[in-house]
Amino acid sequence: MPALGYTYDDHLPADFSAQSLRHDVRTGLTTPRKWLPPKWFYDKVGSELFEDITALREYYPTRTERAILDESASAIVAAAGVDTLVELGSGSSEKTRLLLDAMLDRADGGAERRRHGGAAADPIASYVALDVSEDALRSACAALVGSYPRLRVGAMRADFTHHLELLPAGKPMTVAFLGSTIGNFEPAERATFLRALRAQLGEHDHFLLGADLVKSTDVLVPAYDDAAGVTAAFNLNLLDVLNHSLRADFDRTAFDHVVVWDSQNEWIEMRLRATRDMVVHLPDLDLDVHFDRGEDVRTEISAKFRRESLTAELAAAGFIGRGWWTDQRQWFSLSLWGTA
Ligand code: AVJ
């Protein structure tokens, strides 16, 4: 047992983030319809701003998902029969605690087993956190080790869009993908991701998905364009991330935070709109980027789902519905999927 109390496996090269950021920025800013992937929002400041977003009155997803977990974690765990929980994009692993509590309670129903064999501290369940951020992994796992003496905790630094083949095999596992992070994928990426995940799961494994649902634009738009301007600051921080990590010279006062509901695709788009003509220099990429006044850079899509179409997408990837939990207003869903 390592002194940390958790195992740490790094599957990414040390310069992974730097290299993929360079690649993404070059790709996204040299195309006629400029875009940047949302994963680069989450530097230290961006992660703090996201935490602030989750507490906003207008931003319902986090608290709604937590309310569903509060209500239904035991039912979910009972349906999945979880021994090993693997969480993709685990971040702070904060909401995960509700699932871990239910898992440990359930495993302890085998208190019998504990009394008759093994020391009191033998692990009765396992949790594997998978994230690209070493800082997030280490602080989340250290905190979990402190709170859950009977949980085996592992951290995997990996990118869930590329490294699903690294998922642990053996014990029946449930792979959790919470917070509607899946909404950041475009439909084609979603299909690829779901198939890749399905290929890693055995017949007793499950997939637990947190997905935000389609609802009135009166609710959706303010959730991404809050009155206090926290989401605007979160969006604009992306320019600071580029300035700091690529020595770019974006003037963040020359961009507006723009939120659009795309009713065709049923997704929210966040954009940064240039308020004047300008040239931005990215010396680390040996690149100058021209912006026209009024030109947009798409920084995020946040797709919203319906039960029927989600079920069809999951079925196309080889998953079968095992449970659907939602809040009273049906704003957010947690769904459990089996493989056989
Ligand atoms: C973390 C991707 C689920 O899409 O709602 C919050 C990120 N962006 N406000 C979302 C986000 C703007 C969030 N996800």
Side-chain angles (χ1 to χ4, degrees), residues 3-167:
L4 296 168
Y6 62 88
T7 57
Y8 183 81
D9 291 302
D10 194 339
H11 297 284
L12 298 177
D15 65 349
F16 166 80
S17 291
Q19 287 310 326
S20 54
L21 173 67
R22 293 165 63 96
H23 170 265
D24 289 351
V25 171
R26 184 184 298 285
T27 306
L29 295 187
T30 57
T31 179
R33 290 168 60 92
K34 295 184 175 70
W35 64 284
L36 291 166
K39 66 173 166 183
W40 303 114
F41 282 135
Y42 302 91
D43 71 339
K44 189 163 181 301
V45 173
S47 300
E48 286 166 9
L49 285 168
F50 179 67
E51 287 304 312
D52 295 344
I53 287 173
T54 64
L56 291 170
R57 183 180 52 78
E58 295 98 328
Y59 193 76
Y60 61 86
T62 309
R63 77 174 65 90
T64 308
E65 184 177 51
R66 185 177 295 116
I68 301 168
L69 280 172
D70 254 323
E71 177 87 15
S72 305
S74 334
I76 292 169
V77 163
V82 195
D83 251 342
T84 298
L85 180 68
V86 178
E87 185 175 12
L88 306 180
S90 46
S92 68
S93 300
E94 201 41 67
K95 278 171 296 187
T96 321
R97 287 171 177 257
L98 296 165
L99 288 168
L100 294 173
D101 290 338
M103 273 168 71
L104 289 162
D105 278 354
R106 185 172 173 278
D108 220 23
E112 208 57 36
R113 172 159 41 98
R114 183 180 37 149
R115 249 177 271 118
H116 294 300
D122 280 354
I124 53 173
S126 304
Y127 173 67
V128 177
L130 187 151
D131 206 284
V132 289
S133 162
E134 170 163 6
D135 289 348
L137 285 168
R138 289 202 181 276
S139 62
C141 289
L144 290 177
V145 165
S147 311
Y148 297 101
R150 314 213 53 209
L151 184 70
R152 184 185 290 113
V153 177
M156 279 177 56
R157 181 168 173 261
D159 179 343
F160 58 68
T161 57
H162 293 114
H163 304 119
L164 288 178
E165 73 284 354
L166 299 169
L167 294 185

Side-chain angles (χ1 to χ4, degrees), residues 38 41-42 50 53-54 59-62 178-184 212 223-224 231 234-235 257 268 270 300-304 332:
F41 282 135
Y42 302 91
F50 179 67
I53 287 173
T54 64
Y59 193 76
Y60 61 86
T62 309
L178 303 178
S180 207
T181 305
I182 195 168
N184 279 167
D212 198 10
Y224 294 84
T231 309
F234 174 73
N235 196 8
H257 169 63
I268 285 280
M270 291 211 312
E300 180 168 51
I301 66 167
S302 187
K304 307 305 168 190
F332 200 94

